[in-house]
């Protein structure tokens, strides 16, 4: 499946206190959706408020990027969190961000898991259902952004929540359409020209070359541009410019 338009999202607000990781202000001039860290893998109250204000001022859609409670590991360590506890923590994170989004004249418009949680709910039915329960607990019937064919999307669909498919221009794919684990060589695509080419291919034709060399179908309504990689802002601008040059409209999904 291809789209006449595509959303560009980025993980933002990934700092804590005096420590900053992403160039939020510059990325918000490029992307159409902002996945804002809600304090569990990164982010704090001041950062969340600032990013929401910047996003609202630029008309960028605000999403809650929820995570395992793992500040030390940046949310990239897998954890066995009981389902009831995980659901409550998901709702807690959404609620915290929504306070600042509404204060800025906007709202939380979708939810996206981060890191280890994102990868876990691709295949883990129990953890996926817990994330969905947390979204429902937070209220509002928010769309869930995630990998096509994931258990998360399956659970969200059964619960009546909208699902939004996502792709990654700077991450390697396996033959089954899942992401190559970050611990494996080649998991992150670092060549800017290749990232741009892969992004356009997924947006226009719905395909990407997997790590094994095969073409894999990737049905994406939103394309993630990681904000924590070197040269992230310049790369994001290149991707957006090439998408628009090839006739793809760049616009938020929510």
């Amino acid at each position: 499946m291809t789209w006449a338009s595509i959303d560009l999202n980025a993980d933002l607000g990934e700092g804590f206190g005096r420590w900053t990781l992403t160039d939020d202000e510059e990325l918000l001039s490029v992307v159409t959706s902002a996945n804002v860290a809600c304090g569990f893998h990164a982010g704090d109250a001041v950062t969340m408020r600032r990013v929401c204000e910047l996003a609202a001022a630029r008309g960028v859609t605000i999403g809650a990027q929820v995570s395992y409670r793992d500040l030390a590991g940046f949310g990239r360590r897998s954890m066995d969190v009981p389902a009831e506890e995980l659901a409550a923590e998901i709702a807690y994170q959404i609620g915290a961000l929504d306070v600042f989004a509404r204060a800025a004249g906007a709202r939380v418009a979708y939810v996206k898991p981060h890191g280890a949680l994102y990868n876990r709910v691709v295949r883990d039915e129990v953890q996926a259902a817990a994330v969905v329960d947390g979204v429902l607990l937070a209220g509002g019937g928010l769309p869930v952004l995630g990998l096509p064919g994931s258990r998360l999307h399956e659970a969200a669909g059964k619960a009546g929540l909208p699902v939004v498919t996502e792709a990654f221009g700077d991450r390697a794919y396996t033959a089954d359409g899942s992401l190559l684990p970050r611990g494996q060589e080649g998991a992150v695509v670092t060549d800017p020209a290749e990232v741009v080419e892969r992004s356009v291919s997924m947006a226009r034709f719905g395909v990407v070359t997997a790590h094994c060399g095969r073409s894999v179908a990737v049905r994406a309504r939103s394309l993630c541009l990681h904000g924590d990689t070197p040269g992230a802002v310049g790369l994001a601008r290149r991707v957006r410019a090439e998408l628009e040059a090839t006739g793809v409209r760049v616009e938020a999904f929510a």
Side-chain angles (χ1 to χ4, degrees), residues 7-239:
D7 170 67
L8 293 181
N9 76 76
D11 303 343
L12 301 177
E14 290 185 329
F16 196 83
R18 296 177 62 186
W19 175 70
T20 59
L21 179 64
T22 51
D23 190 341
D24 299 325
E25 189 161 4
E26 290 300 319
L27 282 166
L28 284 167
S29 69
V30 182
V31 301
T32 48
S33 293
N35 316 316
V36 184
C38 299
F40 272 37
H41 74 281
D44 54 34
V46 172
T47 302
M48 285 190 280
R49 180 180 182 181
R50 176 179 56 80
V51 175
C52 284
E53 289 174 348
L54 289 170
R58 289 161 173 75
V60 176
T61 299
I62 297 170
Q65 186 161 44
V66 297
S67 170
Y68 288 127
R69 188 188 290 271
D70 182 27
L71 273 176
F74 196 59
R76 287 181 174 162
R77 299 184 292 190
S78 187
M79 297 182 171
D80 292 318
V81 182
E84 185 176 356
E85 182 179 338
L86 181 58
E89 291 188 339
I90 296 302
Y92 180 93
Q93 292 175 78
I94 296 169
L97 185 65
D98 197 49
V99 167
F100 299 116
R102 291 183 182 276
R107 61 186 176 87
V108 170
Y110 66 94
V111 177
K112 175 185 172 178
H114 165 81
L117 182 59
Y118 186 99
N119 293 319
R120 182 76 172 265
V121 297
V122 171
R123 295 186 174 86
D124 189 318
E125 294 182 12
V126 175
Q127 296 275 281
V131 171
V132 170
D133 287 345
V135 176
L136 294 172
L137 183 60
L142 296 174
V144 177
L145 180 61
L147 210 64
S150 63
R151 291 289 182 262
L152 176 64
H153 274 182
E154 183 180 301
K158 288 179 180 178
L161 297 175
V163 297
V164 183
T165 54
E166 180 178 36
F168 297 81
D170 62 355
R171 288 295 309 279
Y173 281 79
T174 65
D176 67 0
S178 61
L179 297 177
L180 192 70
R182 279 186 176 266
Q184 295 189 29
E185 185 177 355
V188 178
V189 181
T190 57
D191 177 47
E194 186 177 357
V195 173
V196 172
E197 186 277 328
R198 291 165 67 85
S199 298
V200 171
S201 178
M202 287 187 284
R204 293 191 65 199
F205 309 114
V207 296
V208 69
T209 301
H211 191 60
C212 64
R214 291 176 50 189
S215 290
V216 177
V218 178
R219 307 179 309 278
R221 177 62 185 87
S222 184
L223 184 66
C224 180
L225 305 173
H226 281 108
D228 60 346
T229 54
V233 174
L235 181 57
R237 287 185 175 132
R238 284 184 61 178
V239 169

